């Protein structure tokens, strides 16, 4: 049974990557923007964060700050917090440095936001209070509800329209160009960990953005996908891909897909076709990602460590810096706050999963079946069972962080071993050792 959980959790959070049109139009100039695989095992890693599309400074300077060149965390964490995460604190080792962590629900959730809308409300309040002159984030593409367009939102309507997930790789940082050209001094950036890492390094390393106060809100992020792969994936998950408007991999071991009719389709992870567990469907950059919980953001807002309660949209907040605290204070009145819940321990679940993860990362030419292995009915029974016996609250977040860092460590080890030392932060081997896994 554990094996089934493991197989299907492998599919957890299959989410959205494409290089936006203006990036694509520059592909001949900047071929590294495309992830290419040469006949050797060398892979060019790029999550299309958007920095390299900016024309205000030399492209090789943007590239120098790329997280796939600098590596995850390490010195960047030390520079931001004055120290790296404590290796003797198992919670900080996974969740990163925080000053406060709790779960919360907006008293008036924002309709059409990804979950409750805490991020959008915070961005609106930061603008209203003139803490920032604009917000760098994403709008929806008019061509596809799940695709993104980078935006520098400079009025309330535009900021409101940034809400909701675009589960594809997105060049958020491209909009820095607009803020820089306007010589603005205070901006908010909402992004995934690769955006925040690259941005922080660039601001520290080069002078262009030094006078700009940049506040950051981070989303947790794993298993993003290429725009070109997204329709193929959605078709394999949903009975009605054309009417799908909202999708999330939830803590109840089901994918929730809301349709234009308002109905929610729930598909147990266990019943997805095997081909969706092929690591090859994810971009190499996302499989080489080691900061699920966005540890360099001023505040991270997700849902993974919160309880999933019927009719509620409870979220999980990790406040990391003084700026994060300031952002939180803006919406304190709007929140119902709750302590974290759940048992921390998930050792046996991870341990039971790890052998299979290593094997699947090793098998690079495996054929994946397009058939469902488990019927929806049986999948739902299993999901129900794991709801009862599986990890919950911070235990689920602990499980999910460990699962992904183990998977990514062996992905890099077996495919690009020369990048292991550069990309992998020092806390990862410590966690692997906890499970007795080989380095
Ligand atoms: C690919 C992906 C995987 C994720 N995985 C997890 C997970 O495993 N666990 C978890 O707790 N949370 C995850 N999230 C974050 C989660 O879905 C919610 O965004 C978060 O809980 C905030 O909810 P909200 O209602 O406050 O967001 P909203 O108020 O709707 O704001 C969301 C913000 O994120 C921005 N955004 C949307 N898509 C992207 C993108 N592709 N890149 C950068 N910014 C984007 C939006 O433009 C908006 O500003 C993931 C998000 C993405 C895009
Ligand atoms: S991830 Fe960003 S900085 Fe790195 S190569 Fe791609 S676009 Fe450039
Ligand atoms: S999984 Fe990592 S590399 Fe990929 S988009 Fe998310 S933060 Fe960036």
């Amino acid at each position: 049974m554990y094996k089934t959980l493991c197989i299907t959790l492998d599919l957890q959070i299959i989410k959205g990557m494409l290089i936006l049109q203006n990036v694509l139009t520059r592909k001949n100039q900047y071929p590294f923007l495309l992830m290419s695989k040469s006949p050797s095992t060398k892979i060019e890693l790029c999550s299309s964060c958007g920095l390299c599309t900016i024309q205000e400074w030399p492209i090789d300077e943007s590239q120098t700050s790329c997280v796939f060149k600098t590596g995850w965390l390490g010195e960047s964490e030390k520079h931001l917090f004055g120290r790296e995460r404590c290796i003797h604190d198992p919670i900080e080792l996974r969740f990163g440095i925080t000053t406060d962590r709790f779960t919360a629900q907006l008293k008036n959730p924002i309709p059409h936001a990804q979950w409750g809308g805490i991020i959008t409300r915070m961005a609106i309040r930061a603008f209203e209070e003139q803490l920032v002159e604009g917000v760098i984030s994403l709008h929806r593409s008019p061509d596809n509800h799940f695709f993104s367009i980078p935006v520098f939102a400079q009025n309330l309507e535009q900021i409101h329209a940034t809400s909701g997930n675009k589960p594809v790789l997105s060049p958020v940082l491209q909009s820095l160009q607009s803020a820089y050209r306007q010589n603005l001094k205070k901006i908010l950036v909402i992004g995934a960990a690769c955006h925040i890492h690259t941005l922080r390094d660039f601001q520290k390393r080069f002078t262009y953005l030094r006078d700009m106060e940049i506040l950051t809100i981070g989303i947790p992020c794993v298993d993003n996908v290429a725009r070109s792969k997204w329709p193929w994936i959605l078709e394999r998950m949903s009975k009605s891909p054309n009417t799908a408007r909202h999708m999330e991999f939830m803590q109840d071991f089901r994918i929730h897909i809301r349709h234009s009719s308002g109905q929610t389709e729930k598909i147990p992870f266990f019943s997805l076709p095997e081909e969706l567990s092929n690591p090859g469907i994810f971009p190499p950059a996302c499989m080489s990602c080691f900061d699920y919980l966005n540890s360099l953001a001023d505040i991270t807002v997700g849902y993974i460590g919160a309880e999933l309660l019927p009719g509620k949209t409870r979220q999980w907040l990790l406040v990391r810096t003084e700026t994060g605290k300031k952002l939180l204070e803006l919406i304190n009145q709007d929140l119902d706050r709750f302590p974290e819940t759940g048992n921390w321990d998930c050792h046996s679940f991870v341990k039971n999963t790890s052998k299979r993860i290593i094997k699947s990362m090793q098998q690079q030419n495996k054929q994946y079946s397009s058939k469902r292995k488990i019927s929806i009915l049986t999948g739902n029974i299993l999901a129900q069972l794991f709801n009862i016996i599986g990890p919950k609250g911070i235990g689920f977040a602990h499980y999910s962080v460990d699962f992904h860092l183990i998977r990514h460590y062996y992905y890099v080890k077996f495919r690009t071993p020369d990048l292991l030392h550069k990309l992998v932060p020092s806390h990862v081997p410590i966690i692997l050792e906890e499970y007795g896994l080989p380095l």
Side-chain angles (χ1 to χ4, degrees):
M1 199 181 296
Y2 281 150
K3 196 167 169 218
T4 316
L5 171 71
C6 303
I7 289 167
T8 49
L9 283 178
D10 200 5
L11 300 170
Q12 200 215 106
I13 315 160
I14 296 167
K15 298 170 187 177
M17 162 180 174
L18 171 90
I19 300 159
L20 265 198
Q21 214 159 351
N22 54 347
V23 181
L24 280 170
T25 55
R26 300 176 81 199
K27 71 184 176 195
N28 296 330
Q29 279 166 279
Y30 311 120
F32 60 87
L33 286 180
L34 298 177
M35 290 169 306
S36 61
K37 203 173 176 182
S38 76
S40 74
T41 57
K42 195 152 177 56
I43 296 174
E44 288 291 339
L45 297 174
C46 170
S47 63
S48 307
C49 79
L51 196 69
C52 289
T53 62
I54 295 178
Q55 295 167 359
E56 302 297 310
W57 48 77
I59 197 158
D60 56 331
E61 295 188 356
S62 297
Q63 244 192 307
T64 306
S65 285
C66 178
V67 66
F68 300 103
K69 299 274 186 303
T70 59
W72 297 94
L73 300 163
E75 283 302 313
S76 304
E77 188 168 64
K78 204 168 173 182
H79 184 260
L80 183 63
F81 298 102
R83 66 178 179 90
E84 287 187 58
R85 61 190 64 196
C86 173
I87 60 168
H88 304 296
D89 177 345
I91 299 184
E92 190 171 286
L93 214 53
R94 272 83 180 185
F95 297 169
I97 297 172
T98 55
T99 56
D100 197 7
R101 290 195 334 260
F102 59 97
T103 68
Q105 157 107 28
L106 272 183
K107 288 175 182 152
N108 294 305
I110 298 184
H112 307 298
Q114 182 58 21
W115 202 225
I118 286 181
I119 291 184
T120 305
R121 180 65 50 79
M122 225 181 252
I124 288 172
R125 295 287 299 124
F127 186 77
E128 283 175 341
E129 291 299 313
Q130 298 180 357
L131 230 60
V132 296
E133 297 160 287
V135 177
I136 287 183
S137 180
L138 304 167
H139 279 170
R140 293 198 182 282
S141 155
D143 307 328
N144 185 315
H145 182 81
F146 290 104
F147 289 0
S148 61
I149 304 176
V151 67
F152 182 45
Q154 288 186 270
N155 62 47
L156 287 177
E157 197 186 338
Q158 288 173 355
I159 298 171
H160 196 267
T162 60
S163 67
N165 268 15
K166 297 87 189 176
V168 290
L169 288 192
S170 298
V172 171
L173 297 184
Q174 191 184 318
S175 302
L176 275 174
Q177 175 159 295
S178 177
Y180 179 75
R181 282 186 180 157
Q182 292 180 55
N183 197 22
L184 298 186
K185 297 291 176 238
K186 295 181 293 183
I187 60 162
L188 172 67
V189 175
I190 302 171
C194 53
H195 302 119
I196 307 296
H197 268 73
T198 302
L199 172 66
R200 291 237 190 251
D201 187 89
F202 188 80
Q203 195 182 26
K204 174 181 71 174
R205 198 182 291 268
F206 300 105
T207 53
Y208 308 100
L209 306 177
R210 286 264 167 87
D211 298 342
M212 215 186 248
E213 192 189 346
I214 303 182
L215 289 66
T216 55
I217 302 178
I219 52 167
C221 183
V222 277
D223 296 349
N224 215 337
V225 299
R227 209 164 293 213
S228 56
K229 285 252 166 59
W230 173 251
W232 182 91
I233 290 172
L234 189 58
E235 274 164 26
R236 278 150 186 80
M237 291 192 305
S238 175
K239 271 196 231 151
S240 172
N242 291 335
T243 59
R245 293 291 175 271
H246 179 278
M247 191 275 300
E248 198 66 87
F249 282 63
M250 296 312 307
Q251 304 96 313
D252 65 354
F253 304 95
R254 295 177 177 96
I255 307 168
H256 294 198
I257 301 181
R258 203 165 55 234
H259 291 274
S260 47
S261 63
Q263 277 193 323
T264 301
E265 183 185 4
K266 294 185 182 175
I267 309 112
F269 300 162
F270 308 92
S271 301
L272 292 169
E274 193 199 39
E275 58 189 339
L276 287 181
S277 66
N278 179 356
I281 66 176
F282 302 111
C286 296
M287 292 298 288
S288 310
C289 177
F290 290 93
D291 189 22
Y292 185 177
L293 296 182
N294 219 325
S295 319
L296 302 186
D298 291 310
I299 184 166
T300 302
V301 183
Y303 62 86
I304 194 86
E307 243 180 309
L308 179 64
L309 299 167
K312 305 274 183 211
T313 50
R314 211 172 267 190
Q315 296 187 253
W316 189 39
L317 286 87
L318 299 95
V319 185
R320 302 189 182 281
T321 66
E322 277 304 306
T323 305
K325 197 169 154 202
K326 229 192 298 177
L327 283 164
L328 174 66
E329 279 163 6
L330 293 169
I331 60 158
N332 254 338
Q333 308 285 331
D334 302 336
L335 289 180
D336 287 325
R337 281 174 69 135
F338 309 92
E340 288 176 332
T341 54
N343 284 333
W344 174 249
D345 182 46
C346 59
H347 189 92
S348 60
F349 275 82
V350 178
K351 184 85 185 148
N352 283 308
T353 317
S354 54
K355 262 199 202 123
R356 192 200 46 79
I357 306 174
I358 298 174
K359 197 168 164 215
S360 83
M361 291 303 110
Q362 223 163 0
Q363 295 175 317
Q364 296 186 37
N365 297 315
K366 181 174 174 215
Q367 297 298 313
Y368 291 84
S369 158
S370 60
K371 301 269 182 307
R372 272 191 209 288
K373 281 261 170 93
I374 295 176
S375 70
I376 298 275
L377 178 68
T378 315
N380 272 324
I381 293 169
L382 283 171
Q384 208 49 44
L385 186 65
F386 281 104
N387 258 334
I388 298 163
I389 63 163
K392 290 176 201 62
I394 55 164
F396 191 80
H398 178 187
Y399 171 83
S400 200
V401 168
D402 285 8
F403 171 90
H404 286 97
L405 67 82
I406 292 170
R407 191 184 69 172
H408 295 182
Y409 180 85
Y410 289 103
Y411 179 91
V412 177
K413 182 178 161 104
F414 292 129
R415 284 165 178 80
T416 49
D418 44 326
L419 295 182
L420 209 53
H421 184 66
K422 190 204 288 181
L423 287 181
V424 178
S426 55
H427 70 277
V428 172
I430 297 170
I431 293 174
L432 295 185
E433 274 169 27
E434 265 185 35
Y435 295 106
L437 299 174
L439 294 178

